Amino acid sequence: MIDFQGRTVLVTGGGAGIGRATVEAFAAAEARLAVLEIDAGRAAELRQALADADALVVEGDATDGTCVADFAAQVEQRFGGLDVLVNNVGDFLMLAKPFEAFTDDEIERLYAVNLRQIFTVTRAMIPLLRRRAPGSSIVSVSSIEGFRGIPHCAVYAGFKAGIIGFTKSLALELAPSGIRVNAIAPETTETPQVPVSLVVAPEHRALIPNWIPLGRFGTPADMAGGILFLASPLAGWITGTTLHADGGALAACGWYRDVKGTWTNMPVVTGNGMNL
């Protein structure tokens, strides 16, 4: 079992979905926790759930520079430094349409929540990570959509791809200080934000095992396991890379299994599976 006893881990957006599973995984590994969560109810519930842990749960917005600076000061005062930063916040904000239909405001909103906040949080936390180096690390949550095309989500995908470029370059900058920088790229994951199996039309749900090589959509726990690994000493010689937690979807590159289990790159359902 991976042990984080005595180490401080910060997770943004830790109140639900992948963030909540990540917090729970690090708590089980006996880490000290600092969590930033924008939703007051989720923050309060998480604070109660972590009552027996050494945890700082703060209600706040990762896209707000002032809030992030204040949070960094609280982490410094409480823990004195930081061993792991998990940049988990991200959302496509239900904005899916042709690129030419996006407004400047919509593009800015997607930028703020999917890339700019990673710049803001990471810059604020690097001084705290340096205090625990060598051995500290950063893990940012990107997406499979940063590696493949996705119609009507060009803006979101562009920012998710930006996380990968940022991860590689920052890894080189921080390597001499002993700080590793990596990313994880999930395929569609069952979360309150994206309840994907419920979005698929009932008559197509039996085909879900054929759409992804490993036969199912991802779970928050799947992603938390990958994040825990990247942050751990087991990944001590890994930096500047991306872990693809996608059930084999990226490797499949459009290949699926039909109802007989035969591989094909032709459509396996009529329509898009969601009856949109």
Side-chain angles (χ1 to χ4, degrees):
M1 179 176 176
I2 299 174
D3 184 7
F4 280 85
Q5 188 172 19
R7 304 183 69 192
T8 302
V9 178
L10 188 159
V11 181
T12 62
I18 294 172
R20 177 63 182 263
T22 300
V23 169
E24 291 173 351
F26 279 109
E30 300 189 9
R32 298 180 296 193
L33 290 158
V35 183
L36 188 66
E37 169 56 50
I38 194 171
D39 183 270
R42 291 197 296 256
E45 196 278 330
L46 183 62
R47 197 174 292 116
Q48 183 176 6
L50 296 174
D52 295 330
D54 188 358
L56 171 68
V57 180
V58 173
E59 178 190 343
D61 184 354
T63 70
D64 183 329
T66 300
C67 174
V68 169
D70 179 68
F71 184 46
Q74 292 186 58
V75 172
E76 179 181 25
Q77 182 177 22
R78 175 75 172 265
F79 301 111
L82 191 60
D83 295 280
V84 178
L85 166 62
V86 180
N87 287 311
N88 167 69
V89 168
D91 192 345
F92 80 109
L93 301 178
M94 302 300 288
L95 290 170
K97 57 186 174 180
F99 173 70
E100 63 197 85
F102 277 87
T103 67
D104 288 346
D105 177 68
E106 288 169 336
I107 292 172
E108 175 56 36
R109 286 169 56 205
L110 284 165
Y111 171 50
V113 78
N114 289 294
L115 187 56
R116 179 166 57 80
Q117 55 85 17
I118 289 182
F119 295 159
T120 301
V121 174
T122 302
R123 184 177 57 190
M125 301 305 166
I126 284 175
L128 299 181
L129 290 161
R130 289 190 186 279
R131 295 186 183 180
R132 300 289 171 79
S136 49
S137 71
I138 300 168
V139 182
S140 297
V141 179
S142 179
S143 169
I144 192 174
E145 313 306 356
F147 292 86
R148 69 182 181 189
I150 175 168
H152 295 177
C153 288
V155 178
Y156 171 79
F159 293 137
K160 288 300 185 180
I163 294 172
I164 305 309
F166 176 62
T167 293
K168 292 178 179 179
S169 295
L170 188 64
L172 300 183
E173 289 188 23
L174 297 182
S177 298
I179 302 172
R180 297 181 301 106
V181 186
N182 292 295
I184 186 169
E187 167 61 297
T188 305
T189 304
E190 293 275 8
T191 66
Q193 186 184 82
V194 185
V196 63
S197 63
L198 298 180
V199 174
V200 176
E203 63 268 31
H204 297 316
R205 288 175 188 166
L207 295 173
I208 290 175
N210 298 338
W211 294 344
I212 296 175
L214 286 183
R216 61 175 175 83
F217 293 118
T219 67
D222 292 326
M223 309 313 152
I227 292 167
L228 198 75
F229 164 72
L230 288 173
S232 78
L234 294 176
W237 209 54
I238 298 174
T239 195
T241 196
T242 299
L243 176 64
H244 294 280
D246 60 14
L250 189 62
C253 293
W255 285 85
Y256 306 90
R257 294 188 299 277
D258 65 16
V259 293
K260 297 180 180 180
T262 302
W263 287 97
T264 177
N265 61 357
M266 303 299 289
V268 295
V269 296
T270 300
N272 57 29
M274 302 177 189
N275 290 353
L276 298 177

Coordinates of all heavy atoms in Angstrom, one line a residue, residues 105-175:
D105 N -17.1 35.6 -24.3 CA -17.4 35.3 -22.9 C -17.3 33.8 -22.6 O -16.8 33.4 -21.6 CB -18.7 35.9 -22.5 CG -19.1 35.6 -21.1 OD1 -18.4 36.1 -20.1 OD2 -20.0 34.8 -20.8
E106 N -17.9 33.0 -23.5 CA -17.9 31.6 -23.3 C -16.5 31.0 -23.4 O -16.1 30.1 -22.6 CB -18.8 30.9 -24.3 CG -20.3 31.1 -24.1 CD -21.2 30.7 -25.2 OE1 -20.7 30.6 -26.4 OE2 -22.4 30.4 -25.0
I107 N -15.7 31.5 -24.3 CA -14.3 31.1 -24.4 C -13.5 31.4 -23.2 O -12.8 30.6 -22.6 CB -13.6 31.7 -25.7 CG1 -14.3 31.1 -26.9 CG2 -12.1 31.4 -25.7 CD1 -13.8 31.7 -28.2
E108 N -13.8 32.6 -22.7 CA -13.1 33.1 -21.4 C -13.5 32.2 -20.2 O -12.6 31.9 -19.4 CB -13.4 34.5 -21.2 CG -12.8 35.1 -19.9 CD -11.3 34.9 -19.7 OE1 -10.6 35.0 -20.7 OE2 -10.8 34.6 -18.6
R109 N -14.8 31.9 -20.1 CA -15.2 31.0 -19.0 C -14.6 29.7 -19.1 O -14.1 29.1 -18.1 CB -16.7 30.9 -19.1 CG -17.5 32.1 -18.7 CD -19.0 32.0 -19.0 NE -19.6 30.8 -18.4 CZ -20.6 30.1 -18.9 NH1 -21.2 30.6 -20.0 NH2 -21.1 29.1 -18.3
L110 N -14.5 29.1 -20.3 CA -13.8 27.8 -20.4 C -12.3 27.9 -20.1 O -11.7 27.0 -19.5 CB -14.0 27.2 -21.8 CG -15.4 26.7 -22.1 CD1 -15.7 26.5 -23.6 CD2 -15.6 25.3 -21.4
Y111 N -11.7 29.0 -20.5 CA -10.3 29.2 -20.3 C -10.1 29.3 -18.8 O -9.1 28.6 -18.2 CB -9.8 30.4 -21.0 CG -8.4 30.9 -20.6 CD1 -7.3 30.0 -20.6 CD2 -8.2 32.2 -20.2 CE1 -6.0 30.4 -20.3 CE2 -6.9 32.6 -19.9 CZ -5.8 31.7 -19.9 OH -4.6 32.1 -19.5
A112 N -10.9 30.0 -18.1 CA -10.7 30.3 -16.7 C -10.8 29.0 -15.9 O -10.0 28.8 -15.0 CB -11.8 31.3 -16.1
V113 N -11.7 28.1 -16.2 CA -12.0 26.9 -15.4 C -11.1 25.7 -15.8 O -10.9 24.8 -15.0 CB -13.5 26.6 -15.4 CG1 -13.9 25.8 -16.6 CG2 -13.8 25.7 -14.1
N114 N -10.6 25.7 -17.0 CA -9.9 24.6 -17.5 C -8.4 24.8 -17.6 O -7.6 23.8 -17.7 CB -10.4 24.1 -18.8 CG -11.8 23.5 -18.7 OD1 -11.9 22.4 -18.1 ND2 -12.8 24.2 -19.2
L115 N -7.9 26.0 -17.7 CA -6.4 26.2 -17.9 C -5.9 27.4 -17.0 O -4.9 27.2 -16.3 CB -6.1 26.5 -19.3 CG -4.6 26.5 -19.7 CD1 -3.9 25.3 -19.3 CD2 -4.4 26.8 -21.2
R116 N -6.6 28.5 -17.0 CA -6.0 29.6 -16.3 C -5.9 29.3 -14.8 O -4.9 29.7 -14.2 CB -6.9 30.9 -16.5 CG -6.3 32.1 -15.8 CD -6.9 33.4 -16.2 NE -8.4 33.5 -16.2 CZ -9.1 33.7 -15.1 NH1 -8.5 33.9 -13.9 NH2 -10.4 33.8 -15.1
Q117 N -6.9 28.7 -14.3 CA -6.8 28.4 -12.8 C -5.6 27.4 -12.5 O -5.1 27.5 -11.4 CB -8.1 27.8 -12.3 CG -8.7 26.6 -13.0 CD -8.1 25.3 -12.5 OE1 -7.6 25.2 -11.4 NE2 -8.2 24.2 -13.3
I118 N -5.3 26.6 -13.4 CA -4.1 25.7 -13.2 C -2.8 26.6 -13.1 O -2.0 26.4 -12.3 CB -4.0 24.7 -14.3 CG1 -5.1 23.6 -14.1 CG2 -2.6 24.0 -14.2 CD1 -5.1 22.5 -15.1
F119 N -2.7 27.6 -14.0 CA -1.6 28.5 -13.9 C -1.6 29.2 -12.5 O -0.6 29.3 -11.9 CB -1.7 29.6 -15.0 CG -1.6 29.0 -16.4 CD1 -2.1 29.8 -17.5 CD2 -1.0 27.8 -16.7 CE1 -1.9 29.3 -18.8 CE2 -0.8 27.4 -18.0 CZ -1.3 28.1 -19.0
T120 N -2.8 29.7 -12.2 CA -2.9 30.5 -10.9 C -2.5 29.7 -9.7 O -1.8 30.1 -8.8 CB -4.3 31.1 -10.8 OG1 -4.6 31.9 -11.9 CG2 -4.5 31.9 -9.5
V121 N -3.1 28.5 -9.6 CA -2.9 27.7 -8.4 C -1.5 27.2 -8.4 O -0.8 27.2 -7.3 CB -3.9 26.5 -8.4 CG1 -3.6 25.5 -7.3 CG2 -5.3 27.0 -8.3
T122 N -1.0 26.7 -9.5 CA 0.4 26.1 -9.5 C 1.4 27.2 -9.2 O 2.3 27.0 -8.3 CB 0.7 25.6 -10.9 OG1 -0.3 24.6 -11.2 CG2 2.1 25.0 -10.9
R123 N 1.3 28.4 -9.7 CA 2.2 29.5 -9.4 C 2.2 29.8 -7.9 O 3.3 30.0 -7.3 CB 1.9 30.7 -10.3 CG 2.9 31.9 -10.1 CD 2.5 33.0 -11.0 NE 1.1 33.5 -10.8 CZ 0.5 34.3 -11.6 NH1 1.1 34.8 -12.7 NH2 -0.7 34.7 -11.3
A124 N 1.0 29.8 -7.3 CA 0.9 30.1 -5.9 C 1.5 29.1 -5.0 O 2.0 29.4 -3.9 CB -0.5 30.4 -5.6
M125 N 1.5 27.8 -5.5 CA 1.9 26.7 -4.6 C 3.3 26.3 -4.8 O 3.9 25.5 -4.0 CB 1.0 25.5 -4.8 CG -0.5 25.8 -4.5 SD -0.8 26.5 -2.9 CE -2.5 27.1 -3.0
I126 N 4.0 26.7 -5.9 CA 5.4 26.2 -6.1 C 6.3 26.6 -5.0 O 7.1 25.8 -4.6 CB 5.9 26.8 -7.5 CG1 5.3 26.0 -8.6 CG2 7.4 26.8 -7.5 CD1 5.7 26.6 -10.0
P127 N 6.2 27.8 -4.4 CA 7.1 28.1 -3.2 C 6.9 27.1 -2.1 O 7.9 26.7 -1.4 CB 6.7 29.5 -2.8 CG 6.1 30.1 -4.0 CD 5.4 29.0 -4.7
L128 N 5.7 26.6 -1.9 CA 5.4 25.6 -0.8 C 5.9 24.2 -1.2 O 6.4 23.5 -0.4 CB 3.9 25.5 -0.5 CG 3.3 26.8 0.0 CD1 1.8 26.6 0.3 CD2 4.0 27.4 1.2
L129 N 5.8 23.9 -2.5 CA 6.4 22.6 -3.0 C 7.9 22.6 -2.9 O 8.5 21.6 -2.6 CB 5.9 22.4 -4.4 CG 4.5 22.1 -4.6 CD1 4.1 22.3 -6.1 CD2 4.2 20.6 -4.3
R130 N 8.5 23.7 -3.1 CA 10.0 23.8 -3.0 C 10.5 23.5 -1.6 O 11.6 22.9 -1.4 CB 10.5 25.2 -3.4 CG 10.4 25.5 -4.9 CD 11.1 26.8 -5.2 NE 10.9 27.2 -6.6 CZ 11.6 26.7 -7.6 NH1 12.5 25.8 -7.4 NH2 11.3 27.1 -8.9
R131 N 9.7 23.8 -0.6 CA 10.1 23.5 0.8 C 10.1 22.0 1.1 O 10.8 21.6 2.1 CB 9.1 24.2 1.8 CG 9.1 25.7 1.7 CD 8.2 26.3 2.7 NE 8.2 27.8 2.6 CZ 7.5 28.6 3.4 NH1 6.8 28.0 4.4 NH2 7.5 29.9 3.3
R132 N 9.4 21.2 0.3 CA 9.4 19.8 0.6 C 10.2 19.0 -0.5 O 10.2 17.8 -0.5 CB 8.0 19.3 0.6 CG 7.2 19.9 1.7 CD 7.6 19.4 3.1 NE 6.9 20.2 4.1 CZ 5.7 20.0 4.6 NH1 4.9 19.1 4.0 NH2 5.2 20.7 5.5
A133 N 10.9 19.8 -1.4 CA 11.7 19.1 -2.5 C 13.0 18.8 -1.9 O 13.5 19.4 -0.9 CB 11.8 20.1 -3.6
P134 N 13.7 17.8 -2.5 CA 13.2 16.9 -3.6 C 12.2 15.9 -3.1 O 12.1 15.6 -1.9 CB 14.5 16.2 -4.1 CG 15.3 16.1 -2.8 CD 15.1 17.4 -2.0
G135 N 11.3 15.5 -4.0 CA 10.3 14.5 -3.7 C 8.9 15.1 -3.8 O 8.0 14.3 -3.8
S136 N 8.7 16.4 -4.0 CA 7.4 16.9 -4.1 C 6.9 16.8 -5.6 O 7.7 16.6 -6.5 CB 7.3 18.3 -3.6 OG 8.3 19.1 -4.2
S137 N 5.6 16.9 -5.8 CA 5.1 16.7 -7.2 C 3.8 17.4 -7.5 O 3.1 17.8 -6.5 CB 5.0 15.2 -7.5 OG 3.9 14.7 -6.8
I138 N 3.5 17.6 -8.7 CA 2.3 18.2 -9.2 C 1.6 17.2 -10.2 O 2.3 16.6 -11.0 CB 2.6 19.5 -10.0 CG1 3.3 20.5 -9.1 CG2 1.3 20.1 -10.6 CD1 3.8 21.7 -9.8
V139 N 0.3 17.0 -10.0 CA -0.4 16.2 -11.0 C -1.6 17.0 -11.4 O -2.4 17.5 -10.6 CB -0.9 14.9 -10.3 CG1 -1.7 14.1 -11.4 CG2 0.2 14.1 -9.7
S140 N -1.8 17.2 -12.7 CA -2.9 18.0 -13.2 C -3.8 17.1 -14.0 O -3.4 16.1 -14.7 CB -2.4 19.1 -14.1 OG -1.7 20.1 -13.4
V141 N -5.1 17.3 -13.9 CA -6.1 16.5 -14.6 C -6.4 17.1 -15.9 O -7.0 18.2 -16.0 CB -7.4 16.3 -13.8 CG1 -8.4 15.5 -14.5 CG2 -7.1 15.7 -12.4
S142 N -6.1 16.4 -17.0 CA -6.4 16.9 -18.4 C -7.6 16.0 -18.8 O -8.5 15.9 -18.1 CB -5.2 16.7 -19.3 OG -5.5 17.1 -20.6
S143 N -7.5 15.5 -20.0 CA -8.6 14.7 -20.6 C -8.2 14.0 -21.8 O -7.3 14.5 -22.5 CB -9.8 15.7 -20.9 OG -10.8 15.0 -21.7
I144 N -8.8 12.9 -22.2 CA -8.6 12.3 -23.4 C -8.9 13.2 -24.6 O -8.3 13.1 -25.7 CB -9.4 11.0 -23.6 CG1 -9.0 10.1 -24.7 CG2 -10.9 11.3 -23.6 CD1 -9.7 8.8 -24.8
E145 N -9.7 14.2 -24.4 CA -10.1 15.1 -25.4 C -8.9 16.1 -25.8 O -9.0 16.8 -26.8 CB -11.3 16.0 -25.0 CG -12.5 15.2 -24.4 CD -13.0 14.0 -25.3 OE1 -12.5 13.8 -26.4 OE2 -13.9 13.3 -24.8
G146 N -7.9 16.1 -25.0 CA -6.7 16.8 -25.4 C -5.8 16.1 -26.3 O -4.8 16.6 -26.8
F147 N -6.2 14.8 -26.6 CA -5.4 13.9 -27.5 C -6.1 13.5 -28.7 O -5.5 12.8 -29.6 CB -4.9 12.7 -26.7 CG -3.9 13.1 -25.6 CD1 -4.3 13.5 -24.4 CD2 -2.5 13.0 -25.9 CE1 -3.4 13.8 -23.4 CE2 -1.6 13.4 -24.9 CZ -2.1 13.7 -23.6
R148 N -7.4 13.7 -28.8 CA -8.2 13.3 -29.9 C -9.2 14.4 -30.3 O -9.4 15.3 -29.5 CB -9.0 12.0 -29.6 CG -10.1 12.2 -28.6 CD -10.8 10.9 -28.3 NE -11.9 11.1 -27.4 CZ -12.6 10.2 -26.8 NH1 -12.3 8.9 -27.1 NH2 -13.6 10.5 -25.9
G149 N -9.7 14.4 -31.5 CA -10.7 15.4 -31.9 C -12.0 15.1 -31.2 O -12.4 14.0 -31.0
I150 N -12.7 16.2 -30.9 CA -14.1 16.1 -30.4 C -14.9 17.2 -30.9 O -14.8 18.4 -30.6 CB -14.1 16.1 -28.8 CG1 -15.6 16.1 -28.3 CG2 -13.3 17.2 -28.2 CD1 -15.7 15.8 -26.8
P151 N -15.8 16.9 -31.9 CA -16.6 18.0 -32.5 C -17.4 18.7 -31.5 O -18.0 18.1 -30.6 CB -17.5 17.2 -33.5 CG -16.8 15.9 -33.7 CD -16.1 15.6 -32.5
H152 N -17.6 20.0 -31.7 CA -18.4 20.9 -30.9 C -17.8 21.2 -29.5 O -18.4 21.9 -28.7 CB -19.8 20.4 -30.8 CG -20.6 20.4 -32.1 ND1 -21.8 19.9 -32.2 CD2 -20.2 20.8 -33.3 CE1 -22.2 20.0 -33.5 NE2 -21.2 20.5 -34.2
C153 N -16.6 20.7 -29.2 CA -15.9 21.0 -28.0 C -14.5 21.4 -28.3 O -13.6 21.1 -27.5 CB -16.0 19.8 -27.0 SG -17.6 19.5 -26.3
A154 N -14.3 22.1 -29.4 CA -12.9 22.5 -29.8 C -12.3 23.4 -28.7 O -11.0 23.3 -28.5 CB -13.0 23.2 -31.1
V155 N -13.0 24.3 -28.1 CA -12.4 25.2 -27.1 C -12.0 24.4 -25.9 O -10.8 24.6 -25.4 CB -13.4 26.3 -26.8 CG1 -12.8 27.2 -25.7 CG2 -13.8 27.1 -28.0
Y156 N -12.9 23.6 -25.4 CA -12.6 22.8 -24.2 C -11.3 21.9 -24.5 O -10.4 21.8 -23.7 CB -13.8 21.9 -23.9 CG -13.5 20.9 -22.8 CD1 -13.5 21.2 -21.5 CD2 -13.4 19.5 -23.2 CE1 -13.3 20.2 -20.5 CE2 -13.2 18.5 -22.2 CZ -13.2 18.9 -20.9 OH -12.9 17.9 -19.9
A157 N -11.4 21.2 -25.6 CA -10.3 20.3 -26.0 C -9.0 21.1 -26.1 O -7.9 20.6 -25.8 CB -10.6 19.6 -27.3
G158 N -9.0 22.3 -26.7 CA -7.8 23.1 -26.8 C -7.2 23.4 -25.5 O -5.9 23.3 -25.3
F159 N -8.0 23.7 -24.5 CA -7.4 24.0 -23.2 C -6.9 22.7 -22.5 O -5.9 22.8 -21.8 CB -8.5 24.7 -22.3 CG -8.8 26.1 -22.8 CD1 -10.1 26.5 -22.9 CD2 -7.8 27.0 -23.3 CE1 -10.4 27.8 -23.3 CE2 -8.1 28.2 -23.8 CZ -9.4 28.6 -23.8
K160 N -7.6 21.6 -22.7 CA -7.1 20.4 -22.1 C -5.8 20.0 -22.7 O -4.9 19.4 -22.1 CB -8.2 19.3 -22.3 CG -9.4 19.4 -21.4 CD -9.0 19.4 -19.9 CE -10.2 19.5 -19.0 NZ -9.8 19.5 -17.6
A161 N -5.6 20.2 -24.0 CA -4.3 20.0 -24.7 C -3.3 20.9 -24.1 O -2.1 20.6 -24.0 CB -4.4 20.1 -26.2
G162 N -3.7 22.1 -23.8 CA -2.8 23.1 -23.2 C -2.2 22.6 -21.9 O -1.0 22.9 -21.6
I163 N -2.9 21.9 -21.1 CA -2.4 21.3 -19.9 C -1.2 20.4 -20.1 O -0.3 20.4 -19.4 CB -3.5 20.6 -19.1 CG1 -4.6 21.5 -18.7 CG2 -3.0 19.8 -17.9 CD1 -5.9 20.8 -18.1
I164 N -1.3 19.7 -21.2 CA -0.2 18.7 -21.5 C 1.1 19.5 -21.9 O 2.2 19.2 -21.4 CB -0.6 17.8 -22.7 CG1 -1.9 17.1 -22.4 CG2 0.5 16.8 -23.0 CD1 -2.0 16.4 -21.1
G165 N 1.0 20.6 -22.7 CA 2.1 21.4 -23.0 C 2.7 22.0 -21.8 O 3.9 22.1 -21.6
F166 N 1.8 22.6 -20.9 CA 2.3 23.2 -19.7 C 3.0 22.2 -18.8 O 4.0 22.5 -18.2 CB 1.1 23.8 -19.0 CG 1.3 24.4 -17.6 CD1 2.2 25.5 -17.5 CD2 0.8 23.8 -16.5 CE1 2.4 26.0 -16.3 CE2 1.0 24.4 -15.3 CZ 1.9 25.5 -15.1
T167 N 2.4 21.0 -18.7 CA 3.0 19.9 -17.9 C 4.4 19.6 -18.3 O 5.4 19.5 -17.5 CB 2.1 18.7 -17.9 OG1 0.9 19.0 -17.3 CG2 2.8 17.5 -17.2
K168 N 4.7 19.4 -19.6 CA 6.0 19.1 -20.1 C 7.0 20.2 -19.9 O 8.1 19.9 -19.4 CB 5.9 18.8 -21.6 CG 5.1 17.5 -22.0 CD 5.0 17.4 -23.5 CE 4.3 16.1 -23.9 NZ 4.2 15.9 -25.3
S169 N 6.6 21.4 -20.1 CA 7.6 22.5 -20.0 C 7.9 22.8 -18.5 O 9.0 23.0 -18.1 CB 7.1 23.8 -20.7 OG 7.0 23.6 -22.1
L170 N 6.8 22.8 -17.7 CA 7.1 23.0 -16.3 C 7.9 21.9 -15.6 O 8.7 22.2 -14.7 CB 5.7 23.2 -15.5 CG 5.8 23.7 -14.1 CD1 6.4 25.1 -14.0 CD2 4.5 23.6 -13.4
A171 N 7.7 20.7 -16.1 CA 8.5 19.6 -15.6 C 10.0 19.8 -15.8 O 10.8 19.5 -14.9 CB 8.1 18.3 -16.3
L172 N 10.4 20.4 -16.9 CA 11.8 20.7 -17.2 C 12.3 21.8 -16.3 O 13.4 21.8 -15.7 CB 12.0 21.1 -18.7 CG 11.6 20.1 -19.7 CD1 11.9 20.6 -21.1 CD2 12.3 18.7 -19.4
E173 N 11.4 22.8 -16.1 CA 11.8 24.0 -15.2 C 12.0 23.5 -13.8 O 13.0 24.0 -13.1 CB 10.7 25.1 -15.2 CG 10.6 25.8 -16.5 CD 9.7 27.0 -16.4 OE1 9.4 27.5 -15.3 OE2 9.2 27.4 -17.5
L174 N 11.2 22.6 -13.3 CA 11.2 22.3 -11.9 C 12.1 21.0 -11.6 O 12.3 20.7 -10.4 CB 9.8 22.1 -11.3 CG 8.9 23.3 -11.4 CD1 7.5 23.0 -10.8 CD2 9.6 24.5 -10.7
A175 N 12.5 20.3 -12.6 CA 13.3 19.1 -12.4 C 14.6 19.4 -11.6 O 14.9 18.6 -10.7 CB 13.6 18.4 -13.7

